Amino acid sequence: MTPRLAISGLTRRFGDLAVLDGVTLDVAPGTFVSLLGPSGSGKSTILKLLTGALTPDAGTIAFDGRPLLEAGRPFAFMPQRDALMPWRTIIDNVAVGLEIAGLSRKAARQQVAPFFEPFGLSGFERHFPAQLSGGMRQRAALMRTIVQDKPMLLLDEPFGALDALTRVGMQRWLETMWGRHAWTALLITHDVREAVLLSDRIYVLSARPARIVHQIDIDLPRPRAVGPDVAAIEARLLDHLLTQHRD
Amino acid sequence: MSSLSRLGRALPAVIAIAGLVLGWEAYATLSGISPTALPPPSRVLMQAFEHRAVLWANTLPTLQATLFGFAASLTAAFVFSVLIDFSLTLRRALLPVFIISQTLPMIAIAPLVVLWFGFGLGPKIGLVALVTFFPMLVALLQGYRSTEPELEELLSSMGASRWRVFLTARLPTSLPYFFAGLRVSITYAVVAAIFSEYAGAARGLGIYMLNAKNNFRPDLVLAAVLVSASLTLLLFGLTVLIERRALPWTRLGERR
Ligand SMILES: Nc1ncnc2c1ncn2[C@@H]1O[C@H](COP(=O)(O)OP(=O)(O)O)[C@@H](O)[C@H]1O
Ligand SMILES: [Mg+2]
């Protein structure tokens, strides 16, 4: 099967700083793939190359077998910070992608309204972001990503800024949502457990300059609970990540 | 915020101002200083009331110059801020010109402008605009630049054009900065209008002050000062009100 996303030999430097050194990975349709790596290793840079905010020095990106430029913005992107606009209400924040795609504000609102219930935000449509808790803001940002209805999601450490308890709640919630919708997603994280609980496949990135040093396919049934299987995979991944730090 | 605590916050200012005025009144009446040198505030108030018709007739042209000048500079500040934000070449060409314009001393420029363009409203509008333009321009530019890069990146990833990113992210981000600049500018505006009238005008608070001074009537000079100060405070209060109405999200922190 043609992978939805195929990245090959992706290389990028910033002046003297070599950040990506030939990153190669695949994401199959309908799968959830995580990219695990130490901070500063170049994870966000990979997503910027995908969204077109940056251009690669070398390497290719193919989407459904075609060069990315011909695929016509196939990604819905969730940046590392929620990037909610403080002057827009939650519903208008969530609808901004549809507005940019050409819908009127009214039509965009109508289209996103049904998502508030499953995202646990009913009643908060007219609130401003400053009135929401961290977990709610993150769900709003994720909703803004989902409602764009793109073939693939790019999530940059969506739960990185949350406290531990909220984060676990959000991971569980995302997993149930995932089971229902079969989105194709590339998740960036440095949280090993998050990656194991959510992913069909995990790629481990080396420290800068980054390349893929390990790949694991996870076949555990969902919903996943923390048990011996999960712990074993976590241990293996941690081993790979820690080896990275030694050199 | 309750109106009681609002009153509590204003109280020190009220006491300070009342103290100042009472001290002035006491000194002017008790020290034996001539009222043609230092009139007591009570006399200023009484004279202001007595001459209210003339004062009002001279206030209107000043208000007109202030408001038109301010509207002109607001429009210019917005247009130039957008041009400068979009074009690095224009930024390099225009910013130095604007900075130099701020080094021109009003005291030299105002009489020249009146000499060149006459006693009419036009040159006064120009002078008010010259003084009030820069703080608003700088505030807008700084506001645009403080836009979250991740937000711009997000909007671009959604397919937004540069103009769309400007309207959706950069312009709204700049609004609190803009209002800060607006508050600075509005306090300069009335003073600039009066100064331009001082340099030459048929009517207006500036020329009224000049005539009162030449007739050895400091009480009437101060009465006109009172009017101009009230005018500035009024306009300042108006911008604060507009800001509160226009930017409801900036005050969410206070309520929680
Ligand atoms: N636009 C840029 N210019 C210069 N250096 C950058 C830029 N973007 C990222 N970097 C650097 O590249 C490295 C990787 O950044 P990033 O991809 O954000 O890491 P991660 O998301 O894995 O934490 C960091 O050292 C960062 O300082
Ligand atoms: Mg990052």
Side-chain angles (χ1 to χ4, degrees):
Chain A
M1 190 166 45
T2 323
R4 175 126 291 179
L5 176 69
I7 295 178
S8 173
L10 206 58
T11 301
R12 169 77 201 208
R13 21 184 342 122
F14 293 112
D16 285 342
L17 189 72
V19 176
L20 301 179
D21 179 25
V23 172
T24 299
L25 60 85
D26 283 351
V27 179
T31 62
F32 196 109
V33 174
S34 291
L35 198 56
L36 198 59
S39 45
S41 58
K43 303 185 297 295
S44 295
T45 303
I46 294 177
L47 291 197
K48 284 179 190 170
L49 292 167
L50 291 175
T51 60
L54 292 173
T55 48
D57 297 335
T60 58
I61 303 170
F63 193 84
D64 285 340
R66 289 181 300 170
L68 185 58
L69 285 177
E70 293 168 21
R73 301 199 176 276
F75 303 116
F77 167 56
M78 176 168 173
Q80 195 164 348
R81 282 162 62 197
D82 59 41
L84 292 171
M85 292 173 266
W87 54 87
R88 280 185 177 229
T89 57
I90 297 300
I91 193 163
D92 288 339
N93 262 293
V94 171
V96 71
L98 298 175
E99 275 183 54
I100 286 171
L103 263 63
S104 72
R105 182 166 286 198
K106 189 160 170 257
R109 279 182 185 163
Q110 270 169 7
Q111 193 159 327
V112 304
F115 286 84
F116 276 75
E117 164 76 49
F119 276 75
L121 288 171
S122 340
F124 291 93
E125 289 85 349
R126 308 275 157 181
H127 284 56
F128 285 104
Q131 296 170 299
L132 265 57
S133 70
M136 293 165 93
R137 290 173 62 112
Q138 224 56 25
R139 285 205 296 275
L142 191 59
M143 202 193 323
R144 179 187 59 201
T145 318
I146 303 286
V147 297
Q148 294 174 55
D149 201 21
K150 297 282 184 156
M152 184 170 170
L153 308 176
L154 304 176
L155 311 174
D156 194 352
E157 302 195 26
F159 311 129
L162 301 178
D163 63 90
L165 207 60
T166 315
R167 186 163 60 222
V168 173
M170 290 289 291
Q171 287 161 358
R172 291 220 174 121
W173 172 83
L174 183 61
E175 208 194 350
T176 20
M177 293 293 280
W178 179 255
R180 275 186 235 150
H181 295 90
W183 295 310
T184 308
L186 180 62
L187 170 82
I188 303 278
T189 183
H190 55 227
D191 183 334
V192 177
R193 175 154 299 169
E194 180 171 297
V196 176
L197 288 179
L198 294 170
S199 315
D200 299 302
R201 171 180 287 183
I202 299 174
Y203 287 102
V204 179
L205 217 54
S206 72
R208 230 180 23 237
R211 37 173 56 252
I212 303 287
V213 290
H214 191 65
Q215 170 189 336
I216 288 187
D217 287 319
I218 304 178
D219 227 357
L220 299 176
R222 296 168 185 273
R224 291 172 187 164
V226 183
D229 296 341
V230 166
I233 300 173
E234 274 183 28
R236 249 170 83 198
L237 286 169
L238 271 174
D239 213 37
H240 279 285
L241 281 168
L242 294 174
T243 328
Q244 285 312 312
H245 274 291
R246 228 175 284 145
D247 50 36
Chain B
M1 196 170 29
S2 77
S3 51
L4 201 69
S5 76
R6 205 179 291 216
L7 211 65
R9 274 206 319 196
L11 201 61
V14 172
I15 291 174
I17 293 168
L20 221 60
V21 171
L22 284 178
W24 171 10
E25 178 80 34
Y27 181 79
T29 41
L30 301 178
S31 70
I33 191 168
S34 151
T36 52
L38 180 70
S42 56
R43 183 182 162 86
V44 173
L45 273 179
M46 274 171 347
Q47 288 302 312
F49 185 74
E50 202 162 300
H51 292 80
R52 61 186 181 279
V54 188
L55 273 171
W56 179 240
N58 283 286
T59 301
L60 282 180
T62 305
L63 189 61
Q64 211 177 16
T66 304
L67 293 182
F68 281 129
F70 203 66
S73 95
L74 194 73
T75 314
F78 179 70
V79 169
F80 281 111
S81 76
V82 175
L83 291 177
I84 288 174
D85 194 54
F86 273 76
S87 158
L88 189 62
T89 314
L90 283 179
R91 170 183 288 267
R92 289 190 179 140
L94 293 177
L95 263 190
V97 175
F98 293 142
I99 291 169
I100 289 169
S101 80
Q102 293 308 296
T103 65
L104 304 176
M106 227 352 216
I107 198 160
I109 288 299
L112 285 178
V113 170
V114 171
L115 187 71
W116 296 330
F117 299 104
F119 279 25
L121 189 60
K124 293 181 181 55
I125 291 175
L127 283 166
V128 171
L130 178 73
V131 171
T132 57
F133 166 76
F134 198 64
M136 286 193 285
L137 178 80
V138 170
L140 279 169
L141 291 177
Q142 199 193 342
Y144 299 154
R145 287 175 66 144
S146 52
T147 308
E148 227 186 308
E150 288 194 309
L151 174 58
E152 295 190 67
E153 213 173 280
L154 173 74
L155 296 174
S156 309
S157 86
M158 293 169 165
S161 64
R162 196 163 169 211
W163 179 241
R164 190 69 192 251
V165 172
F166 177 81
L167 288 180
T168 313
R170 292 179 82 82
L171 189 62
T173 300
S174 77
L175 285 180
Y177 295 81
F178 164 72
F179 274 104
L182 190 71
R183 270 177 292 172
V184 173
S185 280
I186 203 82
T187 56
Y188 294 166
V190 179
V191 177
I194 288 175
F195 203 96
S196 67
E197 289 163 356
Y198 215 84
R203 280 200 313 169
L205 285 177
I207 202 71
Y208 183 86
M209 286 174 190
L210 188 64
N211 290 336
K213 187 208 77 167
N214 289 342
N215 291 326
F216 304 102
R217 291 296 302 272
D219 51 345
L220 290 182
V221 174
L222 288 171
V225 167
L226 188 68
V227 174
S228 93
S230 312
L231 211 55
T232 299
L233 286 176
L234 192 76
L235 293 173
F236 187 85
L238 212 59
T239 59
V240 172
L241 274 184
I242 293 172
E243 180 177 356
R244 289 188 173 200
R245 290 303 291 270
L247 315 180
W249 71 89
T250 54
R251 302 197 309 133
L252 291 172
E254 281 175 30
R255 250 187 266 152
R256 285 213 298 166

